[in-house]
Amino acid sequence: MITVVGNLKGGSGKSTVTFNLAVWLADRGQNVLTYDLDPQCTLSDVLQVRQEENYTPAIRVHNRYNHRPQEPNDSPTEVLIDVGASNMAAMKKAIALADRVVVPVAPSQADLWSTQRFLYMVGGISKDKPPQVVMFVNRADTHSAIRESDQTEAALRALPAVHVLSARLCQRTAYRRSFSEGLAVFELEPHGKAAQEFEVFAHQLYDIS
């Protein structure tokens, strides 16, 4: 399956989500290939840290600076593409190839406006079978008295032709700490809240035990 993790809005957490999903899938025996199509190459940076630290499983990444051909008879079971609006041409090409587009949405009005424009763009890309669009609230509030995350999820559910996950990823320091060390959140803190919520999120995306 080809999954694009994208949005027009910068800072939505695309690279963090892509990285954690790649490690989670590889941990479950999937042959994972990632593409970093963002000029900032944040996904490539964290995977380089992971390689330098010799963490396993290793995750392969292709980017604009690294065009290594795939090995013969290499057929990845899961392809993850991290792309943002700073490379619009690549984003449109990736969406045209995708089976699914996963859209992380931060709880703010600006992110909702951007997400609506992104959904319109995805719908305008010519394709025989349009990709499934999956949205979820990312960097959600952790305080129960703050209602922005609930309001954002309700607004997403009102959009046409999208699937909205009930799982949320919260604004937690564990994501930043683990990312800087080249580790997934469930590797850094296996029993932490971030690991638990990511497990729920990943299982809602993939039917893998």
Side-chain angles (χ1 to χ4, degrees):
M1 176 183 286
I2 300 175
T3 299
V4 169
V5 182
N7 202 335
L8 293 178
K9 187 77 164 57
S12 61
K14 298 182 294 293
S15 297
T16 301
V17 170
T18 305
F19 169 67
N20 279 274
L21 278 176
V23 178
W24 187 87
L25 287 166
D27 267 346
R28 283 151 182 78
Q30 301 300 302
N31 184 1
V32 181
L33 177 63
T34 65
Y35 284 86
D36 187 353
L37 304 184
D38 193 318
Q40 297 181 74
C41 288
T42 306
L43 177 63
S44 299
D45 289 340
V46 67
L47 289 176
Q48 182 176 344
V49 172
R50 188 175 181 85
Q51 181 181 20
E52 291 170 352
E53 296 294 334
N54 293 315
Y55 294 137
T56 57
I59 308 296
R60 295 173 299 154
V61 61
H62 289 199
N63 58 43
R64 63 192 302 181
Y65 307 108
N66 162 24
H67 297 289
R68 294 193 305 270
Q70 291 178 237
E71 297 174 5
N73 302 319
D74 182 14
S75 299
T77 52
E78 296 293 342
V79 175
L80 294 168
I81 303 176
D82 175 19
V83 63
S86 54
N87 190 350
M88 188 62 74
M91 177 184 277
K92 290 181 177 179
K93 288 180 181 178
I95 291 171
L97 294 171
D99 300 301
R100 175 169 62 182
V101 179
V102 174
V103 188
V105 184
S108 79
Q109 187 60 58
D111 285 87
L112 282 171
W113 286 331
S114 177
T115 299
Q116 288 174 314
R117 286 191 290 271
F118 182 59
L119 183 60
Y120 180 79
M121 188 195 82
V122 172
I125 294 175
S126 178
K127 188 176 180 183
D128 292 337
K129 183 181 179 182
Q132 179 192 32
V133 178
V134 179
M135 297 184 177
F136 71 98
V137 178
N138 193 35
R139 297 181 172 171
D141 311 307
T142 56
H143 198 294
S144 59
I146 301 175
R147 309 304 300 172
E148 272 193 302
S149 294
D150 293 338
Q151 293 164 358
T152 297
E153 183 176 324
L156 294 179
R157 292 188 182 280
L159 296 175
V162 302
H163 176 65
V164 181
L165 301 182
S166 60
R168 299 176 183 176
L169 301 184
C170 293
Q171 180 80 294
R172 302 188 190 278
T173 57
Y175 288 103
R176 297 195 297 273
R177 286 179 48 228
S178 61
F179 197 77
S180 66
E181 296 182 27
L183 292 168
V185 286
F186 46 84
E187 294 176 313
L188 182 69
E189 297 180 358
H191 303 294
K193 291 181 179 179
Q196 293 172 17
E197 71 189 19
F198 191 85
E199 186 75 16
V200 174
F201 164 76
H203 275 294
Q204 288 190 9
L205 275 179
Y206 293 94
D207 185 20
I208 297 174
S209 59

